[in-house]
Amino acid sequence: MPRSDVWVKETLSRANAYARAGASGVFVLGALSAATISMLVDTIELPLNVAFGHGTLSVGDLARAGASRVSAGSAIAEAAYSVASDWAAQMIGTPGAVVSAPPTLGWAAINEVVRD
């Protein structure tokens, strides 16, 4: 998605202010194009951190465009809460409802992920 001149000017202004204040990087939200990421990387003296999620480039494409760090932000929690909300709506809203499929990760798999 092309960015407006106003957006670019404001983003660069803020990035420069962060650099002057001693920041170690700048985080830019939104679904950025490879061209926008490359332009920001070439213009901003700090490492560029970007978001990954629905509508964004793949992690590989973000990295190839020059992103120093990729974050999912709140997207993972939002996805988990969406599933919980859907299940709760079925349980409460439809007395005869049954879950159509088990969770992708079972209890044992979750324990492996969070162990240690």
Side-chain angles (χ1 to χ4, degrees):
M1 162 190 304
R3 297 294 169 162
S4 73
D5 290 340
V6 172
W7 181 90
V8 170
K9 184 177 178 180
E10 182 66 22
T11 299
L12 296 176
S13 173
R14 290 180 186 203
N16 289 329
Y18 298 154
R20 286 190 305 274
S24 60
V26 62
F27 190 84
V28 181
L29 294 172
L32 305 174
S33 69
T36 298
I37 293 169
S38 294
M39 179 275 300
L40 292 172
V41 167
D42 291 343
T43 310
I44 298 170
E45 63 186 68
L46 298 171
L48 182 69
N49 308 314
V50 298
F52 172 76
H54 181 74
T56 69
L57 300 172
S58 70
V59 171
D61 287 340
L62 293 168
R64 280 187 285 283
S68 297
R69 177 176 172 258
V70 177
S71 172
S74 63
I76 294 170
E78 290 168 7
Y81 285 122
S82 294
V83 171
S85 177
D86 290 346
W87 277 43
Q90 288 181 36
M91 290 172 57
I92 295 167
T94 310
V98 294
V99 176
S100 59
T104 304
L105 284 178
W107 187 250
I110 292 170
N111 279 336
E112 286 298 315
V113 170
V114 300
R115 185 171 33 175
D116 297 327

